Amino acid sequence: MGPQNQIEDEWDVEYELPAAIATKNIIASISASNPECSQSPTETIFQNNLRDQAECDADTSEWSGQPVPHRKRPKAFPAFTARSALFKATRAKGTFDRLTPIQAQGAKIEVMGPKLDMRDKRVWEIAIELAKERAGSIGDRFEIELRQFARRMGNDQPNSRALHAIWNSLTRLAMARVSFEVDGGRIRGVGSLLATACRDGDRSFLRLNPDFALPALLCDRQFELNPARRSAIGSALGQWLHDFYCTHSTARPIDLGYLMKLCGYDGPAKNFPAKVRAAMDELLKAAPAVVDSYVIREPTRRFEDWVLEVQIGIEKRSYQQPAALPRPTRKERKAAL
């Protein structure tokens, strides 16, 4: 079985939407005006956020008229998405029923809604790429084709199962609410990873959430990643480590106890050291320019204290420096009220 078939088989449909939502064909994000919401995702998302098409597409954010940042760098993404457990290095199941802190390096992140994994990350990246190509501004709705998602994921002949899996991932991204702080708390963003994922007949549309997307895409360092190379790595942990080290020009020793939390690994803890070794071996084979070598030192019998030491490869890390958020005009502020 080839790699693509293997990926397709793993995209099994385990996140079926409730019938009420499937009938509506609209998934909307948790309202950014209610950051302290403590209701369960089922109550909040499925009951309170079903809207008709017009309301779903309405955007009252003060940033809604701003252009999508870095249009000429479609594969540049914020550092905190590669240096945290936002997109887990294991198969993601279940939900966070309230804003829950997750481990992150150089950022503070809280998440509510469906847990996400590296497959969801690639779908989100493609959504960002398409927004940079198609959206007039950060809050505008833009049309998508699921087959184009599949092609960008390396599947030129997707079947209905693969397309359904991509759509399910998009709906999970629209239901996942993220609050983040970078630059010592100076920059903050809060909102769903996608504002809406909706269908109108045979056509599908997405919209970014400006309150999350603008500070995320503008005010954190935007690192150029290599999704095609990453997809050649078989394990989710290997893919996560690929992106993590693509955002570091130097590597400090990191203990496995911390790494396990940072990558979101929630499988059997005793298996983690072996999985790290296997993932690092995959990374060395697929991307020697990212990581040249590694060693795991075992100072005690407790594996959480073992230390991963990495020698960074010769590839130059490419990133865009953060910029300041634009100041909305008085007219824009009044329109957002």
Side-chain angles (χ1 to χ4, degrees):
M1 181 180 295
Q4 183 53 52
N5 290 331
Q6 194 170 30
I7 291 172
E8 187 171 303
D9 289 343
E10 291 177 354
W11 275 87
D12 59 353
V13 182
E14 61 175 336
Y15 293 95
E16 288 293 343
L17 301 177
I21 295 180
T23 301
K24 272 275 194 178
N25 279 331
I26 294 173
I27 297 296
S29 70
I30 300 171
S31 171
S33 64
N34 188 17
E36 301 301 327
C37 177
S38 61
Q39 292 176 279
S40 73
T42 301
E43 295 170 337
T44 303
I45 300 168
F46 296 158
Q47 295 175 11
N48 296 346
N49 288 292
L50 288 174
R51 305 184 176 102
D52 60 27
Q53 186 68 48
E55 186 177 355
C56 182
D57 288 334
D59 182 18
T60 57
S61 169
E62 64 182 3
W63 312 115
S64 59
Q66 299 295 329
V68 181
H70 307 303
R71 290 186 184 276
K72 295 182 179 181
R73 300 176 69 117
K75 290 181 172 58
F77 304 102
F80 72 82
T81 63
R83 299 177 176 182
S84 70
L86 178 59
F87 296 103
K88 295 162 61 67
T90 52
R91 189 185 189 88
K93 297 181 180 181
T95 63
F96 295 108
D97 61 3
R98 54 180 47 82
L99 280 172
T100 303
I102 63 171
Q103 193 71 52
Q105 184 185 78
K108 292 183 179 180
I109 303 176
E110 293 181 316
V111 182
M112 183 167 74
K115 296 179 180 180
L116 305 169
D117 56 30
M118 292 299 295
R119 297 166 298 173
D120 296 310
K121 182 180 186 181
R122 182 58 189 136
V123 174
W124 178 76
E125 289 173 342
I126 296 171
I128 297 298
E129 292 172 14
L130 292 173
K132 291 177 179 179
E133 295 171 11
R134 301 181 179 184
S137 69
I138 193 78
D140 287 353
R141 187 176 75 160
F142 56 96
E143 187 170 3
I144 62 166
E145 302 82 30
L146 297 183
R147 289 186 180 277
Q148 185 169 33
F149 273 77
R151 285 194 295 271
R152 295 193 183 197
M153 297 171 74
N155 185 354
D156 291 330
Q157 295 181 323
N159 59 24
S160 59
R161 180 189 178 99
L163 297 178
H164 188 58
I166 292 170
W167 181 254
N168 275 356
S169 183
L170 288 168
T171 61
R172 291 197 299 278
L173 291 163
M175 291 187 287
R177 176 181 177 79
V178 177
S179 171
F180 72 92
E181 297 181 11
V182 295
D183 194 17
R186 188 180 66 87
I187 297 299
R188 300 180 181 184
V190 58
S192 51
L193 288 170
L194 296 175
T196 56
C198 51
R199 284 172 169 161
D200 185 359
D202 294 332
R203 303 170 69 188
S204 301
F205 299 87
L206 300 179
R207 185 169 64 82
L208 300 185
N209 186 327
D211 293 322
F212 171 84
L214 192 64
L217 299 178
L218 192 64
C219 302
D220 194 15
R221 281 184 292 176
Q222 307 295 303
F223 278 88
E224 296 273 0
L225 300 180
N226 189 328
R229 182 176 63 192
R230 181 182 66 203
S231 67
I233 300 172
S235 69
L237 180 55
Q239 293 178 2
W240 189 94
L241 288 166
H242 171 276
D243 286 2
F244 180 74
Y245 285 112
C246 279
T247 68
H248 290 80
S249 57
T250 60
R252 296 180 179 179
I254 183 171
D255 65 79
L256 296 196
Y258 174 71
L259 179 61
M260 185 164 61
K261 296 178 181 178
L262 188 63
C263 74
Y265 176 85
D266 56 7
K270 65 180 181 180
N271 296 340
F272 188 64
K275 288 187 175 295
V276 172
R277 288 192 174 94
M280 289 300 301
D281 288 341
E282 287 182 300
L283 181 55
L284 287 177
K285 182 178 180 180
V290 175
V291 170
D292 182 68
S293 63
Y294 81 95
V295 64
I296 296 178
R297 306 200 181 278
E298 306 175 15
T300 71
R301 295 182 62 182
R302 187 174 178 270
F303 86 83
E304 290 89 347
D305 297 329
W306 297 0
V307 177
L308 172 64
E309 296 182 4
V310 168
Q311 179 65 42
I312 292 294
I314 61 173
E315 181 174 274
K316 183 178 180 181
R317 275 50 174 173
S318 176
Y319 63 89
Q320 185 75 21
Q321 287 285 8
L325 281 170
R327 294 178 62 86
T329 65
R330 179 178 297 181
K331 182 178 180 180
E332 289 171 334
R333 289 196 299 270
K334 290 179 66 176
L337 296 177

XYZ file of all heavy atoms in Angstrom, residues 4-92:
697
model
N 0.045 7.402 0.007
C -1.190 8.150 -0.084
C -2.386 7.311 0.366
O -3.272 7.789 1.059
C -1.410 8.652 -1.512
C -2.666 9.506 -1.655
C -2.687 10.638 -0.662
O -1.736 11.399 -0.568
N -3.741 10.750 0.103
N -2.415 6.038 -0.046
C -3.502 5.173 0.387
C -3.495 5.005 1.886
O -4.531 4.914 2.528
C -3.414 3.804 -0.295
C -3.735 3.883 -1.773
O -4.497 4.738 -2.180
N -3.134 3.003 -2.564
N -2.304 4.959 2.450
C -2.187 4.811 3.881
C -2.776 6.030 4.585
O -3.522 5.904 5.550
C -0.721 4.646 4.260
C -0.502 4.142 5.677
C 0.950 3.778 5.899
O 1.845 4.363 5.295
N 1.203 2.832 6.747
N -2.475 7.216 4.076
C -3.023 8.428 4.665
C -4.534 8.432 4.539
O -5.256 8.744 5.482
C -2.427 9.673 3.976
C -0.941 9.798 4.323
C -3.147 10.945 4.394
C -0.230 10.886 3.543
N -5.032 8.043 3.372
C -6.470 8.061 3.140
C -7.172 7.107 4.090
O -8.236 7.399 4.623
C -6.743 7.692 1.688
C -8.193 7.837 1.282
C -8.355 7.662 -0.203
O -7.722 8.401 -0.974
O -9.117 6.758 -0.596
N -6.597 5.933 4.323
C -7.207 4.977 5.229
C -7.263 5.526 6.653
O -8.196 5.255 7.395
C -6.411 3.662 5.223
C -6.593 2.905 3.920
O -7.548 3.214 3.192
O -5.772 2.022 3.639
N -6.258 6.288 7.032
C -6.237 6.837 8.377
C -7.240 7.973 8.560
O -7.610 8.292 9.665
C -4.837 7.346 8.711
C -3.820 6.241 8.858
C -2.428 6.783 9.105
O -2.251 8.011 9.039
O -1.534 5.967 9.353
N -7.686 8.559 7.449
C -8.668 9.638 7.517
C -10.069 9.049 7.640
O -10.968 9.401 6.895
C -8.595 10.495 6.254
C -7.566 11.558 6.298
C -6.262 11.436 5.957
C -7.756 12.914 6.663
N -5.622 12.623 6.090
C -6.521 13.554 6.519
C -8.850 13.658 7.103
C -6.337 14.897 6.803
C -8.665 14.994 7.377
C -7.429 15.598 7.235
N -10.251 8.127 8.581
C -11.584 7.547 8.700
C -12.524 8.557 9.351
O -12.114 9.476 10.038
C -11.550 6.236 9.491
C -11.011 6.410 10.891
O -10.542 7.517 11.227
O -11.057 5.448 11.638
N -13.802 8.378 9.110
C -14.793 9.369 9.529
C -15.248 9.034 10.943
O -16.090 8.171 11.135
C -15.990 9.383 8.561
C -16.997 10.448 8.972
C -15.507 9.629 7.148
N -14.659 9.699 11.915
C -15.034 9.442 13.299
C -15.644 10.674 13.960
O -15.982 10.653 15.131
C -13.822 8.992 14.098
C -12.706 10.033 14.158
C -11.574 9.583 15.063
O -11.822 8.764 15.949
O -10.446 10.055 14.852
N -15.791 11.741 13.189
C -16.356 12.967 13.734
C -17.635 13.316 12.980
O -17.757 14.374 12.404
C -15.358 14.125 13.625
C -14.145 13.961 14.482
C -12.982 13.410 13.951
C -14.138 14.342 15.806
C -11.859 13.248 14.717
C -13.003 14.180 16.585
C -11.873 13.650 16.037
O -10.760 13.498 16.801
N -18.590 12.400 12.936
C -19.840 12.671 12.243
C -20.565 13.817 12.936
O -20.628 13.885 14.167
C -20.734 11.424 12.245
C -20.238 10.327 11.314
C -20.337 10.732 9.858
O -21.058 11.680 9.548
O -19.683 10.066 9.032
N -21.118 14.719 12.141
C -21.812 15.866 12.687
C -23.206 15.470 13.136
O -23.853 14.625 12.531
C -21.919 16.965 11.625
C -20.598 17.470 11.080
C -20.852 18.485 9.986
C -19.778 18.083 12.184
N -23.718 16.088 14.211
C -25.109 15.854 14.607
C -26.039 16.171 13.443
O -25.767 17.046 12.623
C -25.308 16.832 15.772
C -23.938 17.044 16.313
C -23.019 16.988 15.120
N -27.154 15.474 13.389
C -28.058 15.600 12.251
C -28.529 17.031 12.041
O -28.663 17.494 10.910
C -29.262 14.684 12.452
N -28.768 17.761 13.125
C -29.258 19.129 12.999
C -28.262 20.004 12.263
O -28.623 20.863 11.459
C -29.544 19.714 14.380
N -26.982 19.775 12.521
C -25.953 20.585 11.875
C -25.734 20.119 10.447
O -25.577 20.922 9.539
C -24.641 20.510 12.672
C -24.857 21.147 14.028
C -23.511 21.203 11.935
C -23.656 21.135 14.892
N -25.727 18.821 10.221
C -25.538 18.326 8.864
C -26.641 18.843 7.948
O -26.408 19.142 6.783
C -25.540 16.800 8.878
N -27.840 18.982 8.473
C -28.949 19.508 7.676
C -28.737 20.980 7.360
O -28.965 21.445 6.245
C -30.272 19.331 8.434
O -30.470 17.946 8.692
C -31.441 19.861 7.614
N -28.275 21.741 8.333
C -28.036 23.163 8.130
C -26.888 23.426 7.174
O -26.839 24.428 6.481
C -27.707 23.830 9.477
C -28.936 24.301 10.250
C -29.337 25.667 9.768
C -30.326 26.292 10.732
N -30.711 27.654 10.314
N -25.873 22.497 7.205
C -24.669 22.678 6.382
C -23.901 23.924 6.757
O -23.253 24.535 5.932
C -25.013 22.728 4.881
C -25.188 21.341 4.318
O -24.577 20.404 4.815
N -26.026 21.209 3.326
N -23.982 24.329 8.012
C -23.247 25.503 8.461
C -22.591 25.171 9.790
O -23.233 24.664 10.685
C -24.165 26.722 8.650
C -24.732 27.167 7.297
C -23.425 27.886 9.295
C -25.762 28.253 7.401
N -21.308 25.458 9.894
C -20.611 25.362 11.167
C -20.030 26.730 11.442
O -19.329 27.281 10.623
C -19.461 24.336 11.121
C -20.018 22.932 10.849
C -18.696 24.322 12.422
C -20.902 22.396 11.923
N -20.331 27.298 12.594
C -19.833 28.625 12.941
C -18.970 28.521 14.178
O -19.072 27.592 14.951
C -20.989 29.584 13.186
N -18.106 29.481 14.350
C -17.201 29.473 15.491
C -17.911 29.924 16.745
O -18.997 30.488 16.714
C -16.035 30.426 15.231
O -16.508 31.757 15.270
N -17.285 29.644 17.878
C -17.742 30.206 19.137
C -17.553 31.707 19.081
O -16.537 32.202 18.630
C -16.937 29.608 20.307
C -17.136 28.096 20.326
C -17.325 30.224 21.619
C -16.242 27.389 21.277
N -18.515 32.459 19.572
C -18.469 33.915 19.460
C -17.268 34.492 20.175
O -17.000 34.184 21.326
C -19.740 34.523 20.050
O -19.619 35.915 20.140
N -16.525 35.351 19.475
C -15.347 35.976 20.079
C -15.725 36.968 21.155
O -14.877 37.422 21.919
C -14.532 36.693 18.998
N -16.986 37.315 21.243
C -17.402 38.277 22.265
C -17.631 37.618 23.607
O -17.991 38.280 24.563
C -18.700 38.973 21.826
O -19.754 38.027 21.728
N -17.413 36.305 23.707
C -17.688 35.596 24.953
C -16.510 34.718 25.326
O -16.614 33.507 25.383
C -18.960 34.735 24.785
C -19.406 34.132 26.106
O -18.990 34.565 27.161
N -20.258 33.123 26.022
N -15.339 35.306 25.604
C -14.135 34.505 25.832
C -14.176 33.682 27.098
O -13.434 32.737 27.246
C -13.020 35.568 25.894
C -13.712 36.816 26.306
C -15.075 36.743 25.681
N -15.045 34.020 28.044
C -15.074 33.289 29.305
C -16.147 32.219 29.313
O -16.508 31.699 30.358
C -15.315 34.273 30.466
C -14.255 35.358 30.568
C -12.863 34.780 30.755
O -12.742 33.729 31.399
O -11.920 35.382 30.248
N -16.687 31.898 28.141
C -17.768 30.930 28.060
C -17.342 29.606 28.689
O -16.285 29.078 28.384
C -18.157 30.706 26.604
S -19.428 29.463 26.406
N -18.158 29.067 29.589
C -17.808 27.823 30.257
C -18.752 26.691 29.892
O -18.695 25.629 30.479
C -17.831 28.024 31.785
O -19.128 28.412 32.211
N -19.659 26.917 28.909
C -20.526 25.844 28.479
C -19.727 24.794 27.730
O -18.637 25.042 27.252
C -21.617 26.391 27.546
C -22.625 27.293 28.239
C -23.603 27.854 27.237
O -23.293 28.817 26.555
N -24.762 27.246 27.131
N -20.306 23.605 27.654
C -19.628 22.553 26.912
C -19.648 22.875 25.436
O -20.499 23.619 24.967
C -20.339 21.212 27.152
O -21.567 21.203 26.461
N -18.684 22.328 24.647
C -18.698 22.579 23.211
C -20.012 22.157 22.563
O -20.490 22.788 21.643
C -17.530 21.733 22.698
C -16.613 21.623 23.859
C -17.512 21.573 25.068
N -20.613 21.056 23.049
C -21.876 20.619 22.461
C -22.937 21.680 22.639
O -23.637 22.067 21.701
C -22.331 19.301 23.103
O -21.347 18.314 22.897
C -23.656 18.849 22.498
N -23.085 22.207 23.863
C -24.098 23.233 24.114
C -23.779 24.513 23.356
O -24.638 25.107 22.713
C -24.178 23.528 25.617
C -24.669 22.362 26.451
C -24.493 22.620 27.918
O -23.635 23.448 28.279
O -25.205 21.999 28.708
N -22.516 24.933 23.435
C -22.150 26.236 22.876
C -22.135 26.230 21.365
O -22.719 27.089 20.730
C -20.763 26.644 23.393
O -20.801 26.646 24.811
C -20.396 28.028 22.901
N -21.478 25.235 20.769
C -21.313 25.234 19.323
C -22.566 24.747 18.623
O -23.094 25.399 17.732
C -20.108 24.363 18.928
C -18.835 24.915 19.566
C -19.949 24.309 17.418
C -17.672 23.985 19.476
N -23.075 23.614 19.047
C -24.157 23.002 18.301
C -25.490 23.708 18.522
O -26.332 23.720 17.640
C -24.295 21.528 18.684
C -23.093 20.700 18.310
C -22.831 19.510 18.943
C -22.228 21.127 17.313
C -21.725 18.751 18.594
C -21.132 20.371 16.962
C -20.884 19.186 17.608
N -25.715 24.318 19.691
C -26.991 24.954 19.965
C -26.958 26.447 19.717
O -27.856 26.996 19.086
C -27.410 24.692 21.415
C -27.677 23.210 21.691
C -27.970 22.943 23.147
O -28.182 23.870 23.925
N -27.980 21.689 23.525
N -25.933 27.118 20.186
C -25.926 28.576 20.157
C -25.375 29.165 18.875
O -25.574 30.342 18.610
C -25.107 29.123 21.335
C -25.731 28.760 22.660
O -26.876 28.343 22.708
N -24.962 28.903 23.732
N -24.651 28.389 18.071
C -23.953 28.967 16.942
C -24.426 28.481 15.587
O -23.709 28.571 14.599
C -22.447 28.722 17.073
C -21.869 29.575 18.166
O -21.812 30.785 18.049
N -21.480 28.950 19.247
N -25.633 27.929 15.530
C -26.231 27.618 14.241
C -26.906 28.885 13.745
O -27.807 29.413 14.366
C -27.254 26.484 14.394
C -26.634 25.110 14.655
C -27.729 24.102 14.928
C -25.804 24.667 13.478
N -26.449 29.391 12.607
C -26.978 30.641 12.090
C -27.379 30.444 10.635
O -26.890 29.536 9.970
C -25.916 31.746 12.171
C -25.347 31.950 13.562
C -24.390 33.121 13.537
N -23.888 33.408 14.866
C -22.697 33.054 15.301
N -21.886 32.391 14.523
N -22.304 33.362 16.524
N -28.244 31.311 10.131
C -28.529 31.242 8.713
C -27.343 31.817 7.947
O -26.406 32.364 8.521
C -29.829 31.971 8.354
C -29.788 33.456 8.717
O -28.694 34.039 8.753
O -30.872 34.019 8.948
N -27.372 31.676 6.607
C -26.208 32.020 5.812
C -25.789 33.474 5.984
O -24.610 33.778 6.132
C -26.493 31.746 4.331
C -25.294 31.936 3.435
C -24.237 30.897 3.692
O -24.529 29.718 3.756
N -23.001 31.306 3.836
N -26.751 34.386 5.979
C -26.407 35.809 6.056
C -25.722 36.148 7.365
O -24.712 36.848 7.399
C -27.669 36.651 5.883
N -26.252 35.630 8.470
C -25.656 35.935 9.767
C -24.315 35.251 9.907
O -23.377 35.788 10.488
C -26.592 35.505 10.889
C -26.113 35.930 12.270
C -27.087 35.550 13.358
O -28.174 35.038 13.041
O -26.756 35.748 14.533
N -24.209 34.038 9.349
C -22.955 33.288 9.418
C -21.826 34.065 8.752
O -20.700 34.070 9.212
C -23.135 31.938 8.737
S -21.695 30.880 8.786
N -22.133 34.743 7.660
C -21.107 35.443 6.913
C -20.876 36.866 7.393
O -19.941 37.515 6.960
C -21.473 35.476 5.427
C -21.317 34.107 4.799
O -20.513 33.326 5.309
O -22.016 33.827 3.819
N -21.734 37.373 8.276
C -21.538 38.728 8.771
C -20.304 38.783 9.660
O -20.049 37.885 10.441
C -22.769 39.172 9.554
N -19.532 39.844 9.535
C -18.300 39.991 10.316
C -18.256 41.387 10.911
O -18.246 42.375 10.187
C -17.081 39.749 9.429
C -15.777 39.849 10.215
O -15.843 39.752 11.455
O -14.733 40.021 9.589
N -18.246 41.446 12.236
C -18.248 42.740 12.906
C -16.910 43.052 13.561
O -16.802 43.980 14.346
C -19.353 42.775 13.983
O -19.143 41.706 14.914
C -20.731 42.598 13.341
N -15.875 42.282 13.260
C -14.569 42.540 13.847
C -14.017 43.876 13.374
O -14.210 44.288 12.232
C -13.589 41.425 13.468
O -12.265 41.787 13.807
N -13.308 44.554 14.264
C -12.693 45.822 13.879
C -11.575 45.629 12.869
O -11.130 46.579 12.232
C -12.147 46.525 15.118
C -11.020 45.769 15.820
C -10.534 46.484 17.073
O -11.117 47.525 17.409
O -9.576 45.999 17.698
N -11.119 44.383 12.699
C -10.030 44.106 11.751
C -10.540 43.596 10.408
O -9.740 43.274 9.531
C -9.078 43.053 12.338
C -8.648 43.307 13.727
C -8.930 42.537 14.817
C -7.865 44.390 14.216
N -8.373 43.068 15.944
C -7.711 44.219 15.615
C -7.287 45.510 13.616
C -6.997 45.098 16.402
C -6.575 46.401 14.409
C -6.432 46.194 15.776
N -11.850 43.513 10.235
C -12.398 42.783 9.092
C -11.981 43.351 7.738
O -11.926 42.630 6.759
C -13.923 42.738 9.173
O -14.451 44.054 9.201
N -11.700 44.646 7.645
C -11.334 45.225 6.360
C -9.861 45.154 6.033
O -9.442 45.595 4.953
N -9.052 44.601 6.928
C -7.607 44.552 6.706
C -7.242 43.457 5.700
O -7.893 42.412 5.643
C -6.878 44.291 8.033
C -7.096 45.360 9.079
C -6.508 46.698 8.650
O -5.509 46.751 7.931
N -7.130 47.789 9.088
N -6.210 43.664 4.910
C -5.788 42.617 3.966
C -5.202 41.410 4.695
O -4.718 41.528 5.828
C -4.714 43.322 3.122
C -4.203 44.424 3.988
C -5.381 44.884 4.803
N -5.254 40.258 4.060
C -4.636 39.061 4.621
C -3.120 39.242 4.566
O -2.569 39.522 3.500
C -5.044 37.804 3.832
C -4.400 36.562 4.437
C -6.564 37.653 3.796
N -2.439 39.123 5.699
C -0.985 39.349 5.699
C -0.221 38.321 4.860
O -0.639 37.184 4.700
C -0.603 39.224 7.184
C -1.874 39.446 7.934
C -2.950 38.878 7.047
N 0.923 38.767 4.329
C 1.914 37.889 3.690
C 1.339 37.100 2.515
O 1.551 35.890 2.380
C 2.531 36.935 4.714
C 3.084 37.612 5.924
N 4.052 38.597 5.849
C 2.769 37.483 7.245
C 4.327 39.023 7.077
N 3.564 38.383 7.929
N 0.632 37.797 1.640
C 0.071 37.129 0.468
C 1.153 36.487 -0.398
O 0.910 35.474 -1.066
C -0.728 38.129 -0.373
C -2.028 38.589 0.273
C -2.806 39.461 -0.710
N -4.007 40.006 -0.135
C -5.176 39.372 -0.072
N -5.268 38.144 -0.556
N -6.233 39.953 0.445
N 2.339 37.085 -0.417
C 3.414 36.559 -1.251
C 4.193 35.440 -0.566
O 5.134 34.904 -1.152
C 4.364 37.696 -1.651
C 3.702 38.745 -2.549
C 4.691 39.821 -2.955
C 4.040 40.857 -3.859
N 4.993 41.912 -4.295
N 3.809 35.115 0.642
C 4.448 34.009 1.364
C 3.372 33.021 1.802
O 3.030 32.930 2.982
C 5.228 34.550 2.559
C 6.340 35.537 2.184
C 7.000 36.109 3.435
N 7.766 35.097 4.126
C 9.084 35.148 4.297
N 9.776 36.155 3.800
N 9.708 34.212 4.942
N 2.814 32.272 0.856
C 1.658 31.422 1.180
C 1.960 30.318 2.175
O 1.063 29.859 2.878
C 1.247 30.847 -0.182
C 2.474 30.936 -1.027
C 3.185 32.182 -0.571
N 3.213 29.873 2.252
C 3.551 28.772 3.156
C 4.266 29.252 4.414
O 5.015 28.501 5.039
C 4.383 27.724 2.418
C 3.579 26.961 1.371
C 4.418 25.915 0.666
C 3.548 25.043 -0.226
N 2.798 25.800 -1.230
N 4.008 30.503 4.789
C 4.541 31.047 6.039
C 3.445 31.004 7.096
O 2.332 31.498 6.865
C 5.032 32.474 5.835
N 3.768 30.440 8.254
C 2.768 30.240 9.302
C 3.356 30.638 10.653
O 4.569 30.593 10.861
C 2.319 28.782 9.335
C 1.787 28.304 8.017
C 2.569 27.509 7.187
C 0.521 28.653 7.586
C 2.097 27.076 5.960
C 0.033 28.227 6.356
C 0.821 27.438 5.543
N 2.478 31.030 11.606
C 2.974 31.525 12.895
C 3.740 30.466 13.674
O 3.379 29.286 13.692
C 1.695 31.956 13.623
C 0.570 31.313 12.900
C 1.014 31.115 11.496
N 4.789 30.927 14.345
C 5.673 30.011 15.066
C 4.931 29.227 16.137
O 5.222 28.040 16.357
C 6.827 30.798 15.691
N 3.967 29.862 16.811
C 3.342 29.175 17.946
C 2.554 27.940 17.518
O 2.321 27.049 18.330
C 2.478 30.132 18.766
C 1.182 30.564 18.128
C 0.052 29.760 18.189
C 1.079 31.796 17.493
C -1.144 30.163 17.622
C -0.115 32.209 16.936
C -1.236 31.386 16.991
N 2.159 27.851 16.246
C 1.441 26.654 15.801
C 2.374 25.462 15.645
O 1.917 24.319 15.623
C 0.705 26.912 14.475
O 1.664 27.223 13.447
C -0.285 28.060 14.614
N 3.670 25.709 15.506
C 4.651 24.627 15.377
C 5.379 24.350 16.679
O 6.112 23.365 16.772
C 5.677 24.968 14.293
N 5.179 25.187 17.679
C 5.904 25.060 18.943
C 4.941 24.839 20.099
O 5.140 25.354 21.199
C 6.725 26.321 19.203
C 7.788 26.613 18.150
C 8.495 27.911 18.462
N 9.585 28.190 17.538
C 10.385 29.247 17.622
N 10.193 30.132 18.592
N 11.355 29.422 16.740
N 3.903 24.073 19.858
C 2.898 23.867 20.896
C 2.136 22.586 20.629
O 2.334 21.926 19.595
C 1.910 25.037 20.937
O 1.083 25.022 19.779
N 1.241 22.254 21.559
C 0.378 21.082 21.413
C -0.938 21.434 20.743
O -1.903 20.671 20.840
C 0.108 20.468 22.790
N -1.006 22.581 20.049
C -2.233 22.965 19.362
C -2.626 21.903 18.343
O -3.796 21.512 18.239
C -2.056 24.328 18.679
C -3.243 24.858 17.879
C -4.475 24.999 18.770
C -2.891 26.198 17.230
N -1.665 21.444 17.552
C -1.884 20.339 16.622
C -1.065 19.161 17.137
O 0.153 19.124 16.988
C -1.466 20.738 15.207
C -2.299 21.854 14.631
C -1.804 23.144 14.570
C -3.583 21.608 14.161
C -2.565 24.187 14.040
C -4.350 22.639 13.635
C -3.848 23.925 13.571
N -1.752 18.204 17.721
C -1.113 17.149 18.487
C -0.332 16.176 17.611
O -0.668 15.960 16.450
C -2.177 16.372 19.271
C -2.885 17.189 20.319
C -4.188 16.551 20.757
C -3.987 15.201 21.367
N -3.248 15.296 22.660
N 0.690 15.580 18.203
C 1.527 14.601 17.514
C 1.002 13.182 17.684
O 1.724 12.215 17.448
C 2.963 14.691 18.019
N -0.247 13.062 18.096
C -0.931 11.772 18.137
C -2.320 11.975 17.560
O -2.747 13.100 17.326
C -1.048 11.224 19.570
O -1.630 12.227 20.409
C 0.288 10.814 20.129
N -3.022 10.915 17.359
C -4.378 10.996 16.823
C -5.265 11.725 17.833
O -5.376 11.322 18.985
C -4.916 9.595 16.571
C -6.219 9.557 15.814
C -6.709 8.109 15.749
N -7.834 7.990 14.849
C -7.725 7.766 13.552
N -6.530 7.656 13.006
N -8.786 7.655 12.794
N -5.895 12.796 17.412
C -6.685 13.626 18.318
C -8.107 13.092 18.428
O -8.785 12.892 17.419
C -6.709 15.075 17.830
